[in-house]
Amino acid sequence: AVARQVDDYIHVALHIAGALSLAVPLLLPWLGGLFPWTAIPFWWLYLTQLVTFIVVAGVLSLPVLRYMVTPGRLMRKYAHHHAASQFLATNIHSTRGRTGILIFVSLLERYCEVVADTEIAAKVPQTTWQAIVDEMLPLLRAGGVADGLVHGVERCGTILADQFPPGRSDSNELPNHLIVLD
């Protein structure tokens, strides 16, 4: 499954705008030192906080800036949750032998994960899947999404053929296709 992005992260812009606007009263001691002869009216403080929130939220609503200020850890967390959701939504977990596998890629987050069902996870350690992801990421970052996916599918297929050799009575319970998520 390939997703352009898993979230718009607009809440990050709103959180930052809210925090900065709430920090405006912390400037009062500094402003009082600059202008000791004047008291700052309450309405002015409220207006300053409101304007700060609107300006910061507006500036950070630009996608380029919003993605720059969004922590990478948060993006990876959201991408991981989305990968798990896709694993369930596409019914990969519903095979008879619990031997389904999903290769998930999110382009904006620059995230890749191999999600394996329980029987596969019992025989193949997570480090094996992480090694495949580590091989795929340079290809994906270089703009070769197709090359990265083909490499990942081939490597996963080799590992699965070794651990779970196909038998005569085995049938493919799931379609083998690319899922493009918008």
Side-chain angles (χ1 to χ4, degrees):
V2 177
R4 190 172 54 87
Q5 68 185 58
V6 298
D7 198 90
D8 63 2
Y9 304 103
I10 192 67
H11 63 282
V12 173
L14 297 176
H15 287 138
I16 292 171
L20 289 177
S21 65
L22 289 173
V24 166
L26 297 175
L27 297 175
L28 287 178
W30 180 74
L31 291 175
L34 274 174
F35 309 107
W37 62 89
T38 143
I40 298 174
F42 178 75
W43 65 266
W44 185 86
L45 178 61
Y46 172 75
L47 186 64
T48 305
Q49 284 182 301
L50 182 63
V51 168
T52 300
F53 180 84
I54 291 170
V55 168
V56 172
V59 168
L60 292 181
S61 70
L62 298 170
V64 172
L65 295 177
R66 186 171 62 239
Y67 300 137
M68 284 176 52
V69 300
T70 301
R73 196 171 93 193
L74 180 69
M75 292 176 126
R76 285 188 299 279
K77 176 183 172 184
Y78 276 38
H80 170 72
H81 286 294
H82 202 71
S85 296
Q86 284 304 308
F87 183 81
L88 296 173
T90 54
N91 286 325
I92 294 173
H93 67 288
S94 65
T95 60
R96 278 185 303 240
R98 300 298 301 245
T99 55
I101 190 168
L102 172 73
I103 299 173
F104 180 81
V105 174
S106 181
L107 301 175
L108 174 78
E109 287 81 3
R110 295 182 176 151
Y111 182 84
C112 181
E113 181 177 355
V114 177
V115 183
D117 209 342
T118 54
E119 285 300 311
I120 294 174
K123 287 189 175 185
V124 181
Q126 182 59 34
T127 54
T128 303
W129 305 123
Q130 188 57 49
I132 293 172
V133 167
D134 293 341
E135 294 169 9
M136 289 175 63
L137 283 175
L139 297 171
L140 295 168
R141 287 187 179 124
V145 176
D147 294 337
L149 288 172
V150 167
H151 178 77
V153 168
E154 288 173 348
R155 290 278 288 124
C156 289
T158 302
I159 291 167
L160 292 174
D162 290 344
Q163 294 295 322
F164 299 91
R168 289 186 201 154
S169 63
D170 286 342
S171 63
N172 197 358
E173 298 174 54
L174 299 170
N176 296 319
H177 65 278
L178 177 65
I179 301 166
V180 179
L181 306 166
D182 258 339

